[in-house]
Amino acid sequence: MSPLLYAVPLIGLTGLVFSFWRFRQIAAMDPGNETMQAIAARIQGGAMAFLKAEYSVMLGFVLVVAGLMYLSGLSSGSHPLVAASFLTGALFSGLAGFFGMRVATLANVRTANAARKSLTEALLVAFGGGSVMGLTVVGLGILGLSSLFLFFLSWFGDSVADMPRVINVLTGFSFGASSVALFARLGGGIYTKAADVGADLVGKVEAGIPEDHPLNPATIADNVGDNVGDVAGMGADLFESYVGAIISAMVLGAAVAAGSTFTSDADPLSPVLLPLLLGGAGVVASVIGSLLVSRDENVDPQKALHRAELISAGIMLLSSLVLISVVLPAGWVSPEGITVDRMGVFTASLIGLGAGLLIGLATEYYTGAGKKPVHDIVLQSVTGPATNVISGMSVGMISTAIPMLVIAFAILGAHSLAGLYGIAIAAVGMLSNTGIQLAVDAYGPIADNAGGIAEMGSLPSEVRERTDRLDAVGNTTAAIGKGFAIGSASLTALALFSAYMTTAQLKTINVAAPNVMCGLFIGAMMPFLFSAMAMRSVGKAAGSMIEEVRRQFREVPVMAQALELYRQNRETPTSDWAPEDRKVLEDAIAAADCDSCIAISTRASLREMILPGLMAVSFPLLVGFVGGGEMLGGLLAGVTVSGVLLAIFQSNAGGAWDNAKKMIESGVEVNGEEIGRGSDAHAAAVVGDTVGDPFKDTSGPSLNILLKLVSVAALVIAPWIAAHGATSDTGLDEEPAQTVMTDTTSAEG
Amino acid sequence: MSPLLYAVPLIGLTGLVFSFWRFRQIAAMDPGNETMQAIAARIQGGAMAFLKAEYSVMLGFVLVVAGLMYLSGLSSGSHPLVAASFLTGALFSGLAGFFGMRVATLANVRTANAARKSLTEALLVAFGGGSVMGLTVVGLGILGLSSLFLFFLSWFGDSVADMPRVINVLTGFSFGASSVALFARLGGGIYTKAADVGADLVGKVEAGIPEDHPLNPATIADNVGDNVGDVAGMGADLFESYVGAIISAMVLGAAVAAGSTFTSDADPLSPVLLPLLLGGAGVVASVIGSLLVSRDENVDPQKALHRAELISAGIMLLSSLVLISVVLPAGWVSPEGITVDRMGVFTASLIGLGAGLLIGLATEYYTGAGKKPVHDIVLQSVTGPATNVISGMSVGMISTAIPMLVIAFAILGAHSLAGLYGIAIAAVGMLSNTGIQLAVDAYGPIADNAGGIAEMGSLPSEVRERTDRLDAVGNTTAAIGKGFAIGSASLTALALFSAYMTTAQLKTINVAAPNVMCGLFIGAMMPFLFSAMAMRSVGKAAGSMIEEVRRQFREVPVMAQALELYRQNRETPTSDWAPEDRKVLEDAIAAADCDSCIAISTRASLREMILPGLMAVSFPLLVGFVGGGEMLGGLLAGVTVSGVLLAIFQSNAGGAWDNAKKMIESGVEVNGEEIGRGSDAHAAAVVGDTVGDPFKDTSGPSLNILLKLVSVAALVIAPWIAAHGATSDTGLDEEPAQTVMTDTTSAEG
């Protein structure tokens, strides 16, 4: 066993200590004046209340699944310890979300306060908050995986022959992480869009309350939603991706270790250890990168972040090269018969990085303001909402082409260099920068929230301008981040698929066999059903929110009175109102019951996340146990390919609509006419943007998790399938699927 | 050789003679007064001009492809005669569209005229027109297939060993039919929606011209579009489905003939002949059914059509039972090792029929006015276009679940009873009623057009009421027809897929192999790219139309004058206008240049159909020749599964939006408030309906063809793949895909 392996949990721990140190630094900063603190406290209170409620719902689910896994571990080819792995994964994923939310709700108000002084100060606070989150995610991931791995090595033995069992038990960790991530992304996504759509529509339906006005009791829920969806959801999401990519590379590494003859001396387990070591190096690179964000007042924030990312990526590349050279043997012939040398493995990780970057650039092109596709949507907004929606859908659909081709060729490239292991390493390569990437991603919502606090706390307008500028900086980076998320999700899903086949001892999955085709159809349908459920849930939850707001305005006299005053004096700024009217307004704002709105959004989103979540977990188990291993393989292929397509379509269409609206808001000329806020084209663009909201913030990002969750669920039950024979005993299909065409062909030929 | 086979072309010919006799009958009917005849002549002229232009574009394409096929037939495992098959298929498909359009544009005005007398008279004319089209399609299909088959039998020999080559050459017919169908569906779909959206938007943009007003020069193009899209497009579409299903069953029947030992005496080719014989029986059943539509004045039109369909289905079932019992041996062990008896084959065809019916009923549930999903869309229309669009999308996505499950289980069921051959027979079973089904489908647009002529020709309002009633009758039947179309497309695509593998001598297509996965990703992306292109084309073509209308109002003085008058007197019915104003209006209507609008819509739709059409044909060929047989197999699986999903999603979302709008137009109560035409909810529903237009009439129905076209293209080049080895020689993937996982597993296990 390479002594390097023992360093990995320590590196994970170091990342956590570093992020705790950062957290303390931020907590010690000045949270601003009393109003700001009060607003921040409300947001934090709401966010934490949601998290608490969400975690209690998930606890039930997690315990039931852990119990089932324990029982099935007793009776099948697996081991009861897989339940412990699962619980740890779920716990760590929950912790990643919790810490992320905690620091984000501290950093938002401190960013707003720092923005009173300078842009750079604010940047450092917001990015500091983001980096706490980023390092917590990678730190927890690496710490959890490597310490469980060491523990299982000592429990089951550390020879090559022990690997299948060790790693199967370890996959429980990934399953736990994915399950929690799905609920977090979905619940958070429903919450944030229900609050957002609900708060917006109340203004329209009740005809009078402006957006984001504190008289609207749904406003705080809207701000809570940003944290719940964008911060906690994203944290759990990336935690899951990170862990899934590493685990799948370990499974395929074990296949290499078992099936290949190395051409030079090396630890026989080195292909298994490499992914963990790369993860450890990623933590170090992220810590160094995040320390190097410039404190210089004269540096453009965009450049400051890019520099940190580039430094981190450079360190990562260098250390990958060193680790691969030191740890791996000079080469081997892969289990599939491909001659691999270690430079091939390094190149595969470069292919992953390059593919992620290409997909990110394509995302930026199809969704970026000012680019042709978004400009086309702007043009089509002039003829109304219908043409706006049609052109947005068409942009979303067309934007799937490049990423799908890039993924397809990345698979071929990585495979030709380093076999199936190469595909998994490409996914790890895409995610090696997760720490710093997430820091930059999470910084966006913090800056956004800071802007909201500045607005509600009536800070001077330059503060809002600074936070807006910070917010804008993150956009390109966020598009590229999305590219990496989608690319890595598909490569990881494929790697998990291969890992599933290896573990389930399936030789081939013949897509022409009827049971496999049946699985393919069911699997491909899942993302559609899942998206539909998520969209419908947003609608229902937004409806509950609207009803609650209406109830308050109906039943609380002072609020009804304020609303009436507001309608009468809509043209007059509130500062010019008569003192007694202002008093009524203030009383009404004080009387507005934000907490009940928060409670409603919380309850509705938790209720609504259960059905799609259960579907995601139960379908693969059901198909696997009843339909057999090949049918489950078909399901995996189906869910991967249709999930990736729908995820790209939805998030890009949503992003393009959003930016088309923003372009119109900042004023554009179409056919010689200036269009802007308040124009018919703007109204049309708002429709598109609202349609895109649940696409890009609820169903789209959840799909990334769905496809890995399904794959990892299959991987977890793979030993059962191996033990019970590949095909089902239901009588639906009596011969092994892979032989279906054999006789036909030989008879033909 | 069974003597029954020689009867088949005669039956096909009989169907054609019968439909020609019907055609003459309709042509001899009274076409009404001069105005009606003038309007009808304009519609007919426009439709024929489009067809002529479309066919000249296609001719180039068809000749190039035929040339390539001839050349590749010289050099590969195929035969140059495949080019002749291809040409015949393309020609027959073109003829089916031409005759359909010809009779529809005769029958529309005669239906309007008959409706002046009675409902039953009008029903008989409209249904007569539809049945000419239906019988032409099945007659041409059966005649073409069976006479080519007989010719190739005499050319290549009629032993079991000759079958692969005979049937491979015959697949050229199916490829020709599918190619022409794709262009017809796509070109027609773009034309009709460009004219529809263009004519609608002109009214809004130019603010004043009411919908369907003869002053709007785009109105005639809109009516032409109904014929071009709904009649000619649908005819080519069903011709292609019918031929594809029969061909794929013949290929798999040949595999049965070659690889099985029969348990009783029978013609060794009987499994190959059965699909043709079933097709012949279908023609007879359709002729009888269409003769039995009641002429009784007191019969409800809905019941009259249902009765004809039921009688036809009953005859078909009975004759299937007889043919299967007489022709097939008592049983065999299929090439895949399944014990098949002839009752199993009959049951497989019943499964196909049942699956089609179930999918149809699900379609009716998700898109029917008054049903819960559509009612939900109505409720969501109250809060604006965004929520209307979101809920429509969610209905469309959720509606994929039942059809996908039905298809999945139909595959398993048919396969367990009769092997792969059973899947193909299930598809044939679904389509055996095509003749009468198409008669009922095509009758809808004829009645619709008759209504338009009644309106434009200022016939009494009871005439319009009667045609509206006729139109409404077809709706449920149309929904069920859609179910059959989608169900049969997927089963046929799967059968073609198996046929491809048999012919290409591919043993398995391992979906876990990187090259197959790569193909799967590319294939699954195709329907998204194709849909996006189609939607964008509609937008562009509609834009050209709007510009032309604007130009006319700008440059033709009398039209500008009439428009101005119209704006001033919008509240006054034109009959109350001052005589000199009425004169201006009449002059302007006479001056409106409909022909240039028709020409623009024609040119735009033809230009726009080329790129997506080329993509559909070139992708499978490119992937097959460069990437190899397995990668092409992955592509087929991908395009099938994602094509079926998108087709269901798009056509059901479009249908649901359409009916939600109609429900609001006929008045519904929501939350105690009556909403109807002119309400905000109605405006929101119109947005959804417009978004759904290109979904349900352009991209959705074209996808059905796309997936079969791609499969049949693969089938055509399958001999080349068999001759040149399964895998590519590009060096991307050096080992045969199916062995990729083998060593891994054995090393693991």
Side-chain angles (χ1 to χ4, degrees), chain B residues 598-626:
Chain B
I598 291 174
I600 280 191
S601 211
T602 303
R603 242 177 296 140
S605 58
L606 296 181
R607 190 183 59 227
E608 294 294 333
M609 78 182 184
I610 292 175
L611 196 62
L614 281 185
M615 178 192 81
V617 182
S618 60
F619 267 45
L621 302 184
L622 210 68
V623 166
F625 288 130
V626 178

mmCIF file of all heavy atoms in Angstrom, chain B residues 598-626:
data_model
loop_
_atom_site.group_PDB
_atom_site.id
_atom_site.type_symbol
_atom_site.label_atom_id
_atom_site.label_comp_id
_atom_site.label_asym_id
_atom_site.label_seq_id
_atom_site.Cartn_x
_atom_site.Cartn_y
_atom_site.Cartn_z
ATOM 1 N N ILE B 598 -48.253 32.721 -51.550
ATOM 2 C CA ILE B 598 -48.111 31.276 -51.726
ATOM 3 C C ILE B 598 -46.700 30.949 -52.201
ATOM 4 O O ILE B 598 -46.045 30.032 -51.694
ATOM 5 C CB ILE B 598 -49.161 30.764 -52.742
ATOM 6 C CG1 ILE B 598 -50.551 30.881 -52.132
ATOM 7 C CG2 ILE B 598 -48.868 29.352 -53.182
ATOM 8 C CD1 ILE B 598 -51.685 30.541 -53.068
ATOM 9 N N ALA B 599 -46.212 31.761 -53.139
ATOM 10 C CA ALA B 599 -44.872 31.515 -53.681
ATOM 11 C C ALA B 599 -43.823 31.643 -52.578
ATOM 12 O O ALA B 599 -42.885 30.841 -52.491
ATOM 13 C CB ALA B 599 -44.579 32.487 -54.808
ATOM 14 N N ILE B 600 -44.010 32.648 -51.711
ATOM 15 C CA ILE B 600 -43.023 32.861 -50.648
ATOM 16 C C ILE B 600 -43.032 31.715 -49.657
ATOM 17 O O ILE B 600 -41.990 31.184 -49.256
ATOM 18 C CB ILE B 600 -43.308 34.205 -49.954
ATOM 19 C CG1 ILE B 600 -42.732 35.311 -50.836
ATOM 20 C CG2 ILE B 600 -42.726 34.234 -48.561
ATOM 21 C CD1 ILE B 600 -42.695 36.628 -50.183
ATOM 22 N N SER B 601 -44.245 31.297 -49.263
ATOM 23 C CA SER B 601 -44.340 30.193 -48.318
ATOM 24 C C SER B 601 -43.742 28.932 -48.929
ATOM 25 O O SER B 601 -43.049 28.164 -48.261
ATOM 26 C CB SER B 601 -45.800 29.966 -47.940
ATOM 27 O OG SER B 601 -45.921 29.484 -46.641
ATOM 28 N N THR B 602 -44.007 28.749 -50.234
ATOM 29 C CA THR B 602 -43.466 27.582 -50.925
ATOM 30 C C THR B 602 -41.952 27.607 -50.930
ATOM 31 O O THR B 602 -41.288 26.655 -50.512
ATOM 32 C CB THR B 602 -43.976 27.565 -52.387
ATOM 33 O OG1 THR B 602 -45.397 27.563 -52.364
ATOM 34 C CG2 THR B 602 -43.478 26.340 -53.118
ATOM 35 N N ARG B 603 -41.409 28.746 -51.373
ATOM 36 C CA ARG B 603 -39.954 28.832 -51.479
ATOM 37 C C ARG B 603 -39.294 28.675 -50.112
ATOM 38 O O ARG B 603 -38.337 27.928 -49.952
ATOM 39 C CB ARG B 603 -39.555 30.175 -52.107
ATOM 40 C CG ARG B 603 -38.828 30.002 -53.434
ATOM 41 C CD ARG B 603 -38.513 31.342 -54.050
ATOM 42 N NE ARG B 603 -39.735 32.074 -54.379
ATOM 43 C CZ ARG B 603 -39.905 33.388 -54.214
ATOM 44 N NH1 ARG B 603 -38.937 34.136 -53.694
ATOM 45 N NH2 ARG B 603 -41.041 33.966 -54.545
ATOM 46 N N ALA B 604 -39.861 29.380 -49.120
ATOM 47 C CA ALA B 604 -39.248 29.342 -47.792
ATOM 48 C C ALA B 604 -39.283 27.925 -47.225
ATOM 49 O O ALA B 604 -38.290 27.434 -46.688
ATOM 50 C CB ALA B 604 -39.965 30.308 -46.857
ATOM 51 N N SER B 605 -40.430 27.255 -47.383
ATOM 52 C CA SER B 605 -40.502 25.935 -46.758
ATOM 53 C C SER B 605 -39.597 24.948 -47.475
ATOM 54 O O SER B 605 -38.996 24.081 -46.846
ATOM 55 C CB SER B 605 -41.944 25.435 -46.711
ATOM 56 O OG SER B 605 -42.479 25.388 -47.994
ATOM 57 N N LEU B 606 -39.458 25.099 -48.793
ATOM 58 C CA LEU B 606 -38.581 24.173 -49.509
ATOM 59 C C LEU B 606 -37.123 24.421 -49.151
ATOM 60 O O LEU B 606 -36.354 23.491 -48.948
ATOM 61 C CB LEU B 606 -38.790 24.306 -51.024
ATOM 62 C CG LEU B 606 -40.191 23.906 -51.481
ATOM 63 C CD1 LEU B 606 -40.309 24.031 -52.986
ATOM 64 C CD2 LEU B 606 -40.527 22.490 -51.038
ATOM 65 N N ARG B 607 -36.777 25.704 -49.049
ATOM 66 C CA ARG B 607 -35.392 26.030 -48.692
ATOM 67 C C ARG B 607 -35.077 25.485 -47.293
ATOM 68 O O ARG B 607 -34.031 24.925 -47.043
ATOM 69 C CB ARG B 607 -35.242 27.553 -48.704
ATOM 70 C CG ARG B 607 -33.831 28.065 -48.591
ATOM 71 C CD ARG B 607 -33.829 29.588 -48.541
ATOM 72 N NE ARG B 607 -34.596 30.076 -47.408
ATOM 73 C CZ ARG B 607 -35.503 31.054 -47.459
ATOM 74 N NH1 ARG B 607 -35.781 31.660 -48.592
ATOM 75 N NH2 ARG B 607 -36.138 31.436 -46.376
ATOM 76 N N GLU B 608 -36.050 25.632 -46.400
ATOM 77 C CA GLU B 608 -35.789 25.293 -45.011
ATOM 78 C C GLU B 608 -35.826 23.794 -44.727
ATOM 79 O O GLU B 608 -35.328 23.341 -43.715
ATOM 80 C CB GLU B 608 -36.805 26.006 -44.108
ATOM 81 C CG GLU B 608 -36.677 27.524 -44.093
ATOM 82 C CD GLU B 608 -35.378 27.980 -43.462
ATOM 83 O OE1 GLU B 608 -34.851 27.242 -42.612
ATOM 84 O OE2 GLU B 608 -34.883 29.060 -43.832
ATOM 85 N N MET B 609 -36.468 23.027 -45.628
ATOM 86 C CA MET B 609 -36.557 21.596 -45.334
ATOM 87 C C MET B 609 -35.268 20.860 -45.702
ATOM 88 O O MET B 609 -35.049 19.728 -45.275
ATOM 89 C CB MET B 609 -37.751 20.948 -46.053
ATOM 90 C CG MET B 609 -37.528 20.663 -47.531
ATOM 91 S SD MET B 609 -39.009 19.971 -48.300
ATOM 92 C CE MET B 609 -38.378 19.652 -49.946
ATOM 93 N N ILE B 610 -34.402 21.534 -46.483
ATOM 94 C CA ILE B 610 -33.246 20.808 -47.023
ATOM 95 C C ILE B 610 -32.241 20.407 -45.935
ATOM 96 O O ILE B 610 -31.853 19.246 -45.831
ATOM 97 C CB ILE B 610 -32.569 21.645 -48.124
ATOM 98 C CG1 ILE B 610 -33.538 21.720 -49.324
ATOM 99 C CG2 ILE B 610 -31.253 21.033 -48.555
ATOM 100 C CD1 ILE B 610 -33.076 22.597 -50.439
ATOM 101 N N LEU B 611 -31.868 21.383 -45.101
ATOM 102 C CA LEU B 611 -30.814 21.101 -44.125
ATOM 103 C C LEU B 611 -31.208 19.984 -43.153
ATOM 104 O O LEU B 611 -30.464 18.998 -43.004
ATOM 105 C CB LEU B 611 -30.448 22.393 -43.386
ATOM 106 C CG LEU B 611 -29.134 22.346 -42.634
ATOM 107 C CD1 LEU B 611 -27.970 22.112 -43.563
ATOM 108 C CD2 LEU B 611 -28.937 23.633 -41.847
ATOM 109 N N PRO B 612 -32.387 20.098 -42.481
ATOM 110 C CA PRO B 612 -32.741 18.984 -41.587
ATOM 111 C C PRO B 612 -32.901 17.668 -42.335
ATOM 112 O O PRO B 612 -32.528 16.613 -41.805
ATOM 113 C CB PRO B 612 -34.066 19.418 -40.958
ATOM 114 C CG PRO B 612 -34.467 20.695 -41.580
ATOM 115 C CD PRO B 612 -33.345 21.210 -42.391
ATOM 116 N N GLY B 613 -33.426 17.725 -43.570
ATOM 117 C CA GLY B 613 -33.589 16.496 -44.336
ATOM 118 C C GLY B 613 -32.246 15.851 -44.635
ATOM 119 O O GLY B 613 -32.064 14.637 -44.475
ATOM 120 N N LEU B 614 -31.274 16.676 -45.048
ATOM 121 C CA LEU B 614 -29.955 16.139 -45.346
ATOM 122 C C LEU B 614 -29.313 15.545 -44.109
ATOM 123 O O LEU B 614 -28.670 14.497 -44.155
ATOM 124 C CB LEU B 614 -29.052 17.242 -45.915
ATOM 125 C CG LEU B 614 -29.276 17.561 -47.375
ATOM 126 C CD1 LEU B 614 -28.240 18.578 -47.840
ATOM 127 C CD2 LEU B 614 -29.164 16.295 -48.228
ATOM 128 N N MET B 615 -29.502 16.246 -42.980
ATOM 129 C CA MET B 615 -28.927 15.730 -41.740
ATOM 130 C C MET B 615 -29.456 14.326 -41.465
ATOM 131 O O MET B 615 -28.705 13.406 -41.150
ATOM 132 C CB MET B 615 -29.286 16.641 -40.581
ATOM 133 C CG MET B 615 -28.752 16.113 -39.269
ATOM 134 S SD MET B 615 -29.441 16.978 -37.836
ATOM 135 C CE MET B 615 -31.012 16.154 -37.676
ATOM 136 N N ALA B 616 -30.783 14.183 -41.626
ATOM 137 C CA ALA B 616 -31.407 12.900 -41.306
ATOM 138 C C ALA B 616 -30.823 11.779 -42.151
ATOM 139 O O ALA B 616 -30.612 10.670 -41.677
ATOM 140 C CB ALA B 616 -32.906 12.994 -41.530
ATOM 141 N N VAL B 617 -30.551 12.070 -43.413
ATOM 142 C CA VAL B 617 -30.045 11.013 -44.288
ATOM 143 C C VAL B 617 -28.540 10.828 -44.129
ATOM 144 O O VAL B 617 -28.025 9.711 -44.149
ATOM 145 C CB VAL B 617 -30.397 11.316 -45.762
ATOM 146 C CG1 VAL B 617 -29.910 10.206 -46.661
ATOM 147 C CG2 VAL B 617 -31.896 11.466 -45.914
ATOM 148 N N SER B 618 -27.817 11.953 -43.941
ATOM 149 C CA SER B 618 -26.357 11.827 -43.987
ATOM 150 C C SER B 618 -25.759 11.301 -42.683
ATOM 151 O O SER B 618 -24.765 10.582 -42.708
ATOM 152 C CB SER B 618 -25.727 13.177 -44.339
ATOM 153 O OG SER B 618 -26.078 14.129 -43.374
ATOM 154 N N PHE B 619 -26.357 11.638 -41.533
ATOM 155 C CA PHE B 619 -25.773 11.194 -40.263
ATOM 156 C C PHE B 619 -25.612 9.670 -40.197
ATOM 157 O O PHE B 619 -24.525 9.192 -39.890
ATOM 158 C CB PHE B 619 -26.620 11.694 -39.086
ATOM 159 C CG PHE B 619 -26.161 13.000 -38.504
ATOM 160 C CD1 PHE B 619 -25.816 14.065 -39.319
ATOM 161 C CD2 PHE B 619 -26.076 13.177 -37.131
ATOM 162 C CE1 PHE B 619 -25.409 15.273 -38.785
ATOM 163 C CE2 PHE B 619 -25.663 14.384 -36.586
ATOM 164 C CZ PHE B 619 -25.327 15.431 -37.411
ATOM 165 N N PRO B 620 -26.686 8.903 -40.462
ATOM 166 C CA PRO B 620 -26.499 7.453 -40.340
ATOM 167 C C PRO B 620 -25.482 6.916 -41.339
ATOM 168 O O PRO B 620 -24.701 6.015 -41.012
ATOM 169 C CB PRO B 620 -27.896 6.881 -40.598
ATOM 170 C CG PRO B 620 -28.684 7.966 -41.212
ATOM 171 C CD PRO B 620 -28.086 9.241 -40.732
ATOM 172 N N LEU B 621 -25.470 7.483 -42.562
ATOM 173 C CA LEU B 621 -24.522 6.987 -43.559
ATOM 174 C C LEU B 621 -23.083 7.284 -43.123
ATOM 175 O O LEU B 621 -22.211 6.425 -43.136
ATOM 176 C CB LEU B 621 -24.820 7.608 -44.922
ATOM 177 C CG LEU B 621 -26.236 7.349 -45.452
ATOM 178 C CD1 LEU B 621 -26.400 7.936 -46.855
ATOM 179 C CD2 LEU B 621 -26.558 5.855 -45.476
ATOM 180 N N LEU B 622 -22.884 8.519 -42.655
ATOM 181 C CA LEU B 622 -21.553 8.935 -42.211
ATOM 182 C C LEU B 622 -21.066 8.069 -41.055
ATOM 183 O O LEU B 622 -19.948 7.542 -41.067
ATOM 184 C CB LEU B 622 -21.645 10.395 -41.760
ATOM 185 C CG LEU B 622 -20.394 11.228 -41.928
ATOM 186 C CD1 LEU B 622 -20.115 11.431 -43.402
ATOM 187 C CD2 LEU B 622 -20.563 12.570 -41.235
ATOM 188 N N VAL B 623 -21.928 7.933 -40.052
ATOM 189 C CA VAL B 623 -21.533 7.154 -38.876
ATOM 190 C C VAL B 623 -21.292 5.705 -39.270
ATOM 191 O O VAL B 623 -20.342 5.069 -38.820
ATOM 192 C CB VAL B 623 -22.599 7.275 -37.765
ATOM 193 C CG1 VAL B 623 -22.387 6.215 -36.692
ATOM 194 C CG2 VAL B 623 -22.558 8.662 -37.151
ATOM 195 N N GLY B 624 -22.138 5.178 -40.159
ATOM 196 C CA GLY B 624 -21.983 3.786 -40.572
ATOM 197 C C GLY B 624 -20.678 3.564 -41.326
ATOM 198 O O GLY B 624 -19.932 2.635 -41.024
ATOM 199 N N PHE B 625 -20.400 4.446 -42.286
ATOM 200 C CA PHE B 625 -19.203 4.236 -43.110
ATOM 201 C C PHE B 625 -17.928 4.545 -42.346
ATOM 202 O O PHE B 625 -16.924 3.868 -42.489
ATOM 203 C CB PHE B 625 -19.274 5.072 -44.400
ATOM 204 C CG PHE B 625 -20.284 4.540 -45.392
ATOM 205 C CD1 PHE B 625 -21.234 5.368 -45.971
ATOM 206 C CD2 PHE B 625 -20.285 3.194 -45.743
ATOM 207 C CE1 PHE B 625 -22.164 4.869 -46.879
ATOM 208 C CE2 PHE B 625 -21.205 2.683 -46.651
ATOM 209 C CZ PHE B 625 -22.145 3.517 -47.213
ATOM 210 N N VAL B 626 -17.940 5.596 -41.529
ATOM 211 C CA VAL B 626 -16.711 5.990 -40.833
ATOM 212 C C VAL B 626 -16.578 5.291 -39.480
ATOM 213 O O VAL B 626 -15.522 4.800 -39.115
ATOM 214 C CB VAL B 626 -16.652 7.527 -40.651
ATOM 215 C CG1 VAL B 626 -15.402 7.920 -39.892
ATOM 216 C CG2 VAL B 626 -16.703 8.214 -42.002
#
